[in-house]
Amino acid sequence: MSETTTADGRTTHDLADAPAATGDRADLLATLAKQRHFLRFTTRDLTDEQAGRRSTVSELCLGGLIKHVTAVEQSWVDFILDGPSAMGDFTTMTEADWARRADGFRLLPGETLAGVLADYAEVARRTDELVATLPDLDATQPLPKAPWFEPGGRWSARRVLMHIIAETAQHAGHADIIRESLDGAKSMG
């Protein structure tokens, strides 16, 4: 695995030529793949305008959900590799930080559904390769400072992956409701 520094100063890890996952890893990745499919499937045949439209009292839209899940998955994979510094200290976030975070739930001007889906596919590829190659799914990192984490808590790579699966499944359900509210289309049934 090699590291590259991006123009914005982030460190990325190249996981090319990863072997196929087996056993527990294959099961976890298959479960995550299924939830990703349901989330992506809710956006089939939509325009960018539809993907950015709120169809319920919630602030959520389909394009924003894809963006959010992409960012969450990327953040947690960075956490597996680099620990809590990859996520920052949520207890010191400013109003501007919270506003930027809220924009992660919206399809902003200039963003397209195709673009956010492509970003999601790239993050998914990176996650899958990491899970297949990580030496130990039981290796832990201390959790970042956040009001929603227990102080001094640690999560293993396995627990992080289960959290990504749960987050993706939860938002796939949100997406299904939003899509049905838009035009009556459903993921199942």
Side-chain angles (χ1 to χ4, degrees):
M1 174 174 22
S2 63
E3 289 186 357
T4 305
T5 302
T6 63
D8 64 358
R10 289 186 337 105
T11 301
T12 62
H13 301 270
D14 183 16
L15 305 166
D17 303 319
T22 59
D24 186 35
R25 294 167 193 252
D27 291 343
L28 290 166
L29 288 175
T31 301
L32 179 54
K34 183 175 185 177
Q35 298 312 313
R36 287 178 183 144
H37 164 76
F38 281 124
L39 179 58
R40 286 189 312 265
F41 188 66
T42 61
T43 66
R44 70 196 177 284
D45 304 323
L46 291 181
T47 65
D48 292 338
E49 187 273 327
Q50 288 170 311
R53 188 182 311 150
R54 292 174 42 214
S55 64
T56 67
V57 296
S58 165
E59 292 291 322
L60 300 176
C61 67
L62 292 173
L65 278 173
I66 300 287
K67 274 179 58 177
H68 169 70
V69 171
T70 300
V72 165
E73 186 169 322
Q74 180 174 337
S75 244
W76 280 110
V77 167
D78 291 345
F79 169 83
I80 290 169
L81 293 168
D82 301 321
S85 65
M87 298 179 99
D89 181 345
F90 292 95
T91 64
T92 63
M93 287 179 65
T94 65
E95 284 187 38
D97 295 328
W98 287 109
R100 275 190 299 280
R101 189 170 195 268
D103 282 345
F105 288 93
R106 297 181 188 95
L107 197 59
L108 300 175
E111 294 177 331
T112 64
L113 178 58
V116 297
L117 286 169
D119 291 345
Y120 190 35
E122 178 57 28
V123 167
R125 181 201 61 78
R126 180 175 176 243
T127 300
D128 293 354
E129 289 177 354
L130 175 66
V131 171
T133 60
L134 199 63
D136 184 3
L137 289 180
D138 292 321
T140 66
Q141 296 276 14
L143 289 169
K145 289 184 181 178
W148 47 85
F149 291 132
E150 64 273 15
R154 298 181 69 87
W155 278 13
S156 68
R158 178 180 282 101
R159 184 163 179 189
V160 167
L161 187 58
M162 290 188 305
H163 178 74
I164 292 169
I165 292 167
E167 177 100 3
T168 305
Q170 178 180 10
H171 289 311
H174 294 147
D176 201 34
I177 292 167
I178 293 168
R179 179 61 192 259
E180 189 172 359
S181 299
L182 277 175
D183 62 6
K186 299 177 186 176
S187 294
M188 298 178 73

